Amino acid sequence: MSKPSFDFYWEDFRIGEMRDMGRHTFSEQEMITFARQFDSQRFHVDPQAARSTLFGGLVASGWHTCAMAMRGMCEAYLNRSACLGSPGLDSLRWLRPVRPGDEIVFRAKVLESRPSASKPGVGLVKFLWDAVNSSGEQVLAMEGWQLFEQREAAKE
Amino acid sequence: MSKPSFDFYWEDFRIGEMRDMGRHTFSEQEMITFARQFDSQRFHVDPQAARSTLFGGLVASGWHTCAMAMRGMCEAYLNRSACLGSPGLDSLRWLRPVRPGDEIVFRAKVLESRPSASKPGVGLVKFLWDAVNSSGEQVLAMEGWQLFEQREAAKE
């Protein structure tokens, strides 16, 4: 089987660089559909019950916002990259609620980059992935790592 | 509207306490269904292409594992609690891949607990939520916070 070739390898993510990860408008119905399956707290599934909570109305599950950020990332660059997976996040903050009808913009910024100490031909990139609503407020901020094959190693 | 009453308030989460959050066997089909929607990297959606990756075969999206942990949490205790939401996670680690057919056990441990400094009647609890496969290996570990109403405040 021939080795797949990608647009982006470890070397292509440069510190300070920003990448657009698209935008998504969250509908009430999709918020409820996601939450019924994975996060059925009353303020995620029941608009009526949500009114009497701290949120004052239905809000998206934080995991739904993360999942849509991931989808934006895949479409924007990850599926054209030599990504080998992620060990995890150093921090994840749900800063403000996402409400029905909110249009959310997803972005990635490269914070750090280094070759893997244990895996030859592999590099690590630390990103800040965030999500911003139409008032310019951050609703989500995640700092975490992804592993990518190095371009030079991919030639071998 | 009368105030809802819950089984668990902030005071009911005691440091060191463990809670079972159930178990789930991940099927290949549900892994692919989730990943097609939210995380369409080749090692999450294409069993054939996944063979030539570092994973050596199809693995669940890390977000799918998180979402199933959340579902277990809701069913185990969260939906019977006075939970007011979560500001986020201090760390999230995808420690080992989840593969088709893996039965994963989800657990919660209370790490810290304190009253909110800014919100009267509210308390914060820090949890370690983890997920373990049938070989006893941790596949997921998350440390994060949830806000709960205090039992005393709920009486007012």
Side-chain angles (χ1 to χ4, degrees):
Chain A
M1 189 159 51
S2 70
K3 226 172 167 182
S5 153
F6 298 101
D7 292 343
F8 307 117
Y9 292 84
W10 172 69
E11 294 87 338
D12 300 309
F13 298 94
R14 288 157 200 277
I15 295 172
E17 173 188 274
M18 300 280 297
R19 282 175 190 261
D20 176 31
M21 306 202 302
R23 60 187 63 216
H24 180 72
T25 301
F26 285 74
S27 75
E28 181 175 283
Q29 191 50 58
E30 74 172 315
M31 287 165 47
I32 292 174
T33 299
F34 183 98
R36 278 194 184 143
Q37 197 172 358
F38 300 117
D39 187 356
S40 54
Q41 296 181 79
R42 64 200 187 284
F43 37 75
H44 297 321
V45 297
D46 182 341
Q48 181 70 29
R51 282 189 214 160
S52 61
T53 68
L54 269 195
F55 295 113
L58 199 82
V59 299
S61 165
W63 298 110
H64 190 188
T65 317
C66 291
M68 291 309 298
M70 191 70 217
R71 176 157 141 183
M73 192 192 307
C74 285
E75 291 171 0
Y77 65 86
L78 206 66
N79 285 355
R80 293 185 290 136
S81 81
C83 181
L84 304 169
S86 167
L89 305 176
D90 291 349
S91 115
L92 187 169
R93 287 287 172 264
W94 292 298
L95 297 162
R96 280 179 192 80
V98 174
R99 299 181 187 277
D102 279 0
E103 187 189 48
I104 304 297
V105 170
F106 298 100
R107 311 179 295 195
K109 183 179 180 181
V110 178
L111 299 180
E112 295 178 41
S113 175
R114 60 176 172 79
S116 165
S118 59
K119 295 187 183 71
V122 173
L124 287 131
V125 181
K126 185 177 187 179
F127 290 90
L128 166 65
W129 296 287
D130 78 357
V132 177
N133 66 21
S134 56
S135 304
E137 298 165 326
Q138 255 189 339
V139 297
L140 172 71
M142 306 188 281
E143 292 191 13
W145 296 88
Q146 280 173 330
L147 284 83
F148 295 92
E149 194 173 12
Q150 296 182 15
R151 188 178 288 278
E152 285 308 307
K155 287 184 186 159
E156 284 158 19
Chain B
M1 190 157 54
S2 71
K3 226 173 165 181
S5 152
F6 298 102
D7 292 342
F8 307 116
Y9 292 85
W10 171 69
E11 295 86 338
D12 300 309
F13 298 95
R14 289 156 199 278
I15 294 172
E17 172 190 274
M18 301 279 299
R19 282 175 191 260
D20 177 30
M21 305 200 303
R23 58 188 63 217
H24 180 72
T25 301
F26 286 73
S27 75
E28 181 175 283
Q29 191 49 58
E30 73 172 317
M31 287 164 48
I32 292 174
T33 298
F34 183 97
R36 277 194 184 143
Q37 197 174 357
F38 300 116
D39 187 357
S40 54
Q41 297 180 80
R42 64 202 188 284
F43 37 75
H44 296 322
V45 296
D46 183 341
Q48 180 71 29
R51 281 189 213 161
S52 61
T53 67
L54 268 195
F55 295 114
L58 198 81
V59 298
S61 165
W63 297 110
H64 190 188
T65 317
C66 291
M68 291 308 298
M70 191 69 218
R71 175 158 143 182
M73 192 191 307
C74 285
E75 290 171 0
Y77 66 86
L78 205 65
N79 285 355
R80 293 185 290 137
S81 81
C83 181
L84 304 170
S86 167
L89 306 176
D90 291 348
S91 117
L92 188 171
R93 288 286 172 265
W94 293 298
L95 297 161
R96 280 180 191 79
V98 173
R99 299 182 188 278
D102 279 0
E103 188 189 46
I104 304 297
V105 169
F106 298 100
R107 311 179 295 196
K109 183 179 180 180
V110 178
L111 299 180
E112 296 178 40
S113 176
R114 60 176 172 79
S116 165
S118 60
K119 295 187 184 73
V122 173
L124 287 130
V125 181
K126 184 177 186 180
F127 290 91
L128 166 65
W129 296 287
D130 78 356
V132 177
N133 66 21
S134 55
S135 304
E137 298 165 326
Q138 254 189 339
V139 297
L140 172 72
M142 304 188 283
E143 292 190 13
W145 296 87
Q146 279 172 333
L147 283 82
F148 296 91
E149 195 174 11
Q150 295 182 16
R151 187 178 289 277
E152 284 308 307
K155 286 183 189 160
E156 288 158 16

